[in-house]
Amino acid sequence: MTEIKEDQKTHREKRKEYTYNKLKGLGQEIIENIEKQKVPSIRVPSRGTGNIVYDDAKRYYVLGDRYGRRSLGNVKQIRKLGQMVYVANFCKDLVAREKTATIREMYYVSEGWGISFKTQQESNIVGEDLEVTLGTTREDLGLMPEEDGASVYGDITLLDDGVEINAAKTGKSGYTISPTIDQVEFLDCGVERVIAVETMGMFHRMVQENAHKRFNTLIVGLKGQAARATRRFIKRVNEEIGLPVYICNDGDPWGFHIAQVIISGSAKLAHVNHDLATPDAKFMGVTASDIINYDLPTDKLKDVDVMRLKELSKDPRYKSDFWQTEIKKMLKIGKKAEQQSFSKYGLEYVVDTYFPQKLEELEN
């Protein structure tokens, strides 16, 4: 782990230097244009659906090569360009002082700029535009979401803001994954894998049943759709420590999607999927086959579920034989099931029986 720790420090320092220089360079480019009596403009890659491409080699969505320009010579773009410059300057100060601000705080700070946003959604979009323009992440810019990530429980020791924390010794709720997870160092790790579960109910069941010891695993509770910090944590432990990742979600199209966003990224965040996606992660269940094989309690698929399954079947992230088979099978049986449905056989069944069988299937 010593080499990993040194690599983490070097990587973090390089990211900070890169981000600061990109922010500074953006301002210098505008100043140089003015000095040369040119109309200042900023090249902004397009985030439209026509410029979002699934990369088969990388196994996640990326941005294509289309871009536009925001120019002070265009009356309709003056306000948007001004907002972008103010946000960039705000972020440059955050990076220089090693500070962070929530995207909500930035929205209120902007009230004093004289070029305020109409809504927070508008300011969020400008922040995302800055991400993609500079080729960096919102977190590197010092901007954080309001919510923390999810929780992790198991034998991993982290250095968070100068404090050593072992995620198996922080109480039953585990270690809360911070939005600043890239500033956290991994000091030591005594597990062989990661099992991520969609619901916190399943997370707590696994903790109660000592699943972290029984499977020598980190348990990650996703809290539904995984926050960026959670996806980044999973990506880091997979890439930096070499832990295989398994994802167990509800057996419905929404659970499938939550897992696939972790595996192959999202179209909306195509510009940062290289930092968030974990292409080697494996879906552990609940599948349509599980519903049949384990005779699970089910709910009938709603029209919206059927529509979503049909959409997934056409999505390039689901083109493998595994996903195509499971989607067709779920449509055929017309049923869906939650993780907690295994409780039909007792509270301990999911840890005593289901997880061991699934791990044996996936690892052999």
Side-chain angles (χ1 to χ4, degrees), residues 52-62 225 231 234-235 247 256-283 315-320 323:
I52 296 172
V53 182
Y54 184 80
D55 190 310
D56 286 310
K58 294 178 179 177
R59 294 178 288 163
Y60 53 74
Y61 278 111
V62 298
Q225 183 66 268
R231 283 178 265 167
I234 292 172
K235 168 81 169 181
I247 307 167
F256 293 171
H257 177 69
I258 288 170
Q260 198 59 252
V261 166
I262 293 172
I263 297 168
S264 299
S266 68
K268 184 177 184 292
L269 295 178
H271 57 290
V272 288
N273 278 335
H274 58 280
D275 273 339
L276 302 179
T278 307
D280 289 329
K282 296 180 180 180
F283 185 68
D315 188 316
R317 292 173 292 182
Y318 298 84
K319 67 181 180 180
S320 70
W323 282 114

Side-chain angles (χ1 to χ4, degrees), residues 109-327:
V109 168
S110 72
E111 292 291 324
W113 294 345
I115 191 169
S116 58
F117 301 100
K118 295 177 182 177
T119 64
Q120 185 179 338
Q121 179 62 20
E122 186 181 17
S123 68
N124 290 353
I125 290 173
V126 171
E128 290 170 359
D129 285 344
L130 192 60
E131 274 188 308
V132 69
T133 298
L134 301 181
T136 185
T137 68
R138 180 176 67 188
E139 291 77 11
D140 286 335
L141 292 169
L143 298 177
M144 303 294 154
E146 290 298 313
E147 76 280 359
D148 285 331
S151 299
V152 57
Y153 192 90
D155 187 15
I156 186 171
T157 303
L158 314 102
L159 184 65
D160 188 347
D161 198 23
V163 179
E164 287 192 19
I165 301 170
N166 185 282
K169 300 177 181 178
T170 54
K172 296 299 183 180
S173 295
Y175 168 77
T176 299
I177 300 171
S178 166
T180 56
I181 189 61
D182 262 314
Q183 298 175 21
V184 174
E185 293 179 37
F186 301 145
L187 299 181
D188 195 18
C189 184
V191 303
E192 295 179 356
R193 61 181 61 84
V194 177
I195 299 177
V197 292
E198 179 178 347
T199 67
M200 293 310 292
M202 182 60 74
F203 171 87
H204 291 301
R205 170 56 48 205
M206 293 179 72
V207 172
Q208 286 181 40
E209 304 305 328
N210 288 316
H212 63 295
K213 292 182 179 178
R214 295 173 67 171
F215 305 120
N216 199 17
T217 188
L218 295 181
I219 306 167
V220 177
L222 300 175
K223 287 186 179 177
Q225 183 66 268
R228 284 171 57 150
T230 308
R231 283 178 265 167
R232 181 61 184 152
F233 173 82
I234 292 172
K235 168 81 169 181
R236 286 191 60 196
V237 293
N238 173 255
E239 199 171 67
E240 297 173 24
I241 305 178
L243 300 181
V245 176
Y246 304 95
I247 307 167
C248 185
N249 286 4
D250 286 343
D252 60 32
W254 317 102
F256 293 171
H257 177 69
I258 288 170
Q260 198 59 252
V261 166
I262 293 172
I263 297 168
S264 299
S266 68
K268 184 177 184 292
L269 295 178
H271 57 290
V272 288
N273 278 335
H274 58 280
D275 273 339
L276 302 179
T278 307
D280 289 329
K282 296 180 180 180
F283 185 68
M284 195 175 182
V286 178
T287 63
S289 295
D290 291 334
I291 291 174
I292 297 169
N293 296 337
Y294 291 90
D295 190 23
L296 297 177
T298 59
D299 293 310
K300 184 178 179 181
L301 289 178
K302 298 178 181 179
D303 289 344
V304 67
D305 296 322
V306 172
M307 186 184 306
R308 185 60 176 146
L309 283 169
K310 290 179 178 178
E311 289 174 349
L312 297 186
S313 70
K314 300 173 184 177
D315 188 316
R317 292 173 292 182
Y318 298 84
K319 67 181 180 180
S320 70
D321 290 342
F322 166 79
W323 282 114
Q324 290 297 313
T325 298
E326 291 301 331
I327 289 171

